[in-house]
Amino acid sequence: MQQYSSDSTPVAEPFNGSARRNSLLDSVRGISLLGILLLNISGFGLPKAAYLNPAYAGLPSLSDGVVWSLLSIFAQGTFLSMFAILFGGGLELLQKRGRRWNVIRLFWLGVIGFIHSVFMWDGDILLSYGITGLGAVMLIHGATSGDSLLRTGIVLFSIGIALLLCLGLLTGIDGQANSFWTPTAAELDAEAQWKLAGGIQAWSARFSMTLMIQLAIIIQYGWELVGLMLIGAVLMRNGWLKGNAEISTYRRQGWMLFGLSLLIHLPVAALQWWSDWRFDWANYYLQVPKDLAAVLQGLGYMALWYGYGQRIQLSRISKYLASVGRMTLSNYLLQTVVCTTLFYHLGWYQQLDRLSLLALVPLIWCINIVFSVLWLRWFTLGPVEWLWRLLSGKPPEAKQPTI
């Protein structure tokens, strides 16, 4: 496994040493958090079927089709992959604090995620990360070397891909869609009713959906998540995620990975439209190369940011992104508060098309940035990060390696 030592870190940067490395990680966390909203905004403003199927209610408009295609090619799954890789990198950094404390920490993340999923928004990822993170922690602590950890991560991700293909085969050769993919008008009305009404009815619906999502995590997607977390742990261990490679290396890798992702994404997007969004093809068979391309693209985006984003000219933007990244958990929940207020309490749900929804994203980004910058002027931790730290207990002293 190639190692990237700190000696190769370029010096013409706005940050130095440990502070610079922390800022690099925080800034790329900020990018992944803000980028996730590009897809999540439709999860708030449209029915759940619209997240994966632009033709859930018939042929989409030209505007909706264009927006969907661009997001499918340049964003869908990409920022979630980045998030999983960075999460795994964080687990690697914290593994020196001991397995027990990390397990407690992930337990409370799962609790926060469960509350978020049932009482606020059913698109939560925190509970899934808390559950799959437990498996990742055990494998990271038990790994004998970075190479073995990388192999395990690739194998687990590949198992998730294989299971996705198997699920496609189980749908049958007729590709018959279900209510998740193409809901009826009555089902869309019922979904709108409980989302706008809130209360016990909404909590009950979200609880059922939470259980279904976690079942899907256990059966298939969790394998991919754990695999990505292990890959992130390896990239942290060898110094790549710390920004220790040469700038030229990051740039070269970034453009290569981004180019490879487009070679996969472009024909897949065309095939999805050509297949007329047939359930088994669009949701399973074509999702396999999309998941692979999302990982390549996520790594490509990170490499390009490490290669270009740390210029002096971009130092202010990097600082803002790092502030968001330092408060990732708080900002993720803040996005939910803002979006549920707009769409469920103010009645904007199903009132905007995809282009209009996309236009809201930069405004919410500004809220995230302003909140983070102002909060961190007086506090060192975000409010939910502080609560998470309190619930997890004081971290034990880092174990020093024996010589």
Side-chain angles (χ1 to χ4, degrees):
M1 181 178 66
Q2 183 175 358
Q3 299 288 330
Y4 299 98
S5 68
S6 58
D7 293 338
S8 64
T9 304
V11 295
E13 306 293 347
F15 306 102
N16 296 297
S18 176
R20 174 186 171 275
R21 288 195 299 272
N22 288 337
S23 181
L24 274 171
L25 285 171
D26 286 336
S27 64
V28 81
R29 285 190 190 104
I31 290 172
S32 64
L33 186 279
L34 297 180
I36 283 175
L37 187 61
L38 292 169
L39 278 301
N40 282 355
I41 194 72
S42 66
F44 287 108
L46 297 173
K48 60 180 181 292
Y51 190 87
L52 290 175
N53 182 12
Y56 73 98
L59 189 67
S61 66
L62 177 62
S63 171
D64 274 6
V66 170
V67 171
W68 165 266
S69 297
L70 290 174
L71 290 177
S72 179
I73 293 168
F74 295 104
Q76 192 175 67
T78 298
F79 295 101
L80 283 174
S81 296
M82 290 173 60
F83 220 82
I85 291 169
L86 291 166
F87 192 83
L91 294 178
E92 166 64 21
L93 283 178
L94 293 173
Q95 62 95 14
K96 59 188 176 183
R97 300 288 182 179
R99 184 182 306 176
R100 183 177 180 276
W101 181 75
N102 275 285
V103 169
I104 294 173
R105 185 171 176 270
L106 289 167
F107 168 79
W108 284 113
L109 178 65
V111 171
I112 294 171
F114 179 80
I115 294 171
H116 177 234
S117 182
V118 173
F119 297 104
M120 299 180 70
W121 184 51
D122 47 271
D124 171 78
I125 62 171
L126 302 177
L127 176 57
S128 301
Y129 275 58
I131 294 172
T132 55
L134 291 173
V137 161
M138 300 303 175
L139 292 169
I140 291 170
H141 279 262
T144 57
S145 68
D147 289 334
S148 66
L149 194 61
L150 179 60
R151 286 193 296 268
T152 303
I154 293 173
V155 167
L156 292 177
F157 183 84
S158 301
I159 290 174
I161 291 294
L163 290 171
L164 188 58
L165 281 173
C166 292
L167 290 173
L169 293 173
L170 291 175
T171 62
I173 60 173
D174 60 350
Q176 185 65 38
N178 57 22
S179 60
F180 159 76
W181 193 250
T182 52
T184 64
E187 288 168 332
L188 291 174
D189 289 341
E191 183 180 350
Q193 197 279 328
W194 66 256
K195 283 185 174 179
L196 295 173
I200 296 177
Q201 185 181 7
W203 302 342
S204 176
R206 291 196 188 101
F207 178 75
S208 298
M209 293 180 65
T210 298
L211 294 181
M212 291 175 59
I213 291 171
Q214 298 315 309
L215 179 61
I217 291 292
I218 293 171
I219 292 174
Q220 187 271 319
Y221 189 57
W223 296 85
E224 292 187 39
L225 275 182
V226 176
L228 290 176
M229 290 177 188
L230 298 188
I231 292 171
V234 172
L235 294 177
M236 182 66 72
R237 188 174 294 188
N238 72 6
W240 193 89
L241 274 181
K242 295 178 181 179
N244 288 344
E246 297 282 357
I247 279 185
S248 60
T249 300
Y250 284 121
R251 292 176 180 177
R252 183 176 63 254
Q253 291 175 345
W255 287 116
M256 180 185 68
L257 291 165
F258 179 66
L260 286 174
S261 72
L262 291 186
L263 289 176
I264 300 173
H265 271 313
L266 289 170
V268 167
L271 286 171
Q272 284 178 320
W273 288 103
W274 176 82
S275 69
D276 200 23
W277 293 95
R278 179 171 147 147
F279 178 56
D280 55 346
W281 278 95
N283 193 50
Y284 292 109
Y285 301 139
L286 293 176
Q287 191 62 39
V288 169
K290 278 182 66 66
D291 282 0
L292 175 59
V295 176
L296 298 176
Q297 194 168 76
L299 289 169
Y301 285 171
M302 285 191 281
L304 289 173
W305 176 248
Y306 281 15
Y308 294 96
Q310 300 308 306
R311 292 173 171 176
I312 296 296
Q313 300 93 319
L314 297 176
S315 59
R316 184 176 295 274
I317 295 176
S318 180
K319 181 180 178 181
Y320 291 153
L321 291 172
S323 297
V324 174
R326 284 178 60 184
M327 296 171 49
T328 303
L329 184 54
S330 295
N331 277 305
Y332 177 70
L333 297 177
L334 177 60
Q335 289 178 355
T336 295
V337 171
V338 173
C339 290
T340 53
T341 299
L342 292 176
F343 296 112
Y344 304 153
H345 300 299
L346 297 182
W348 289 16
Y349 179 70
Q350 282 190 285
Q351 300 301 307
L352 303 175
D353 62 10
R354 291 183 186 273
L355 184 60
S356 300
L357 288 172
L358 198 61
L360 288 175
V361 171
L363 299 178
I364 301 172
W365 285 349
C366 289
I367 293 174
N368 281 135
I369 293 171
V370 171
F371 171 66
S372 302
V373 171
L374 292 178
W375 184 274
L376 292 174
R377 286 184 180 178
W378 289 281
F379 306 98
T380 57
L381 293 174
V384 187
E385 284 79 6
W386 173 84
L387 176 63
W388 189 16
R389 174 74 66 86
L390 181 67
L391 293 170
S392 302
K394 182 179 179 181
E397 294 295 325
K399 296 179 180 179
Q400 298 298 325
T402 58
I403 301 176

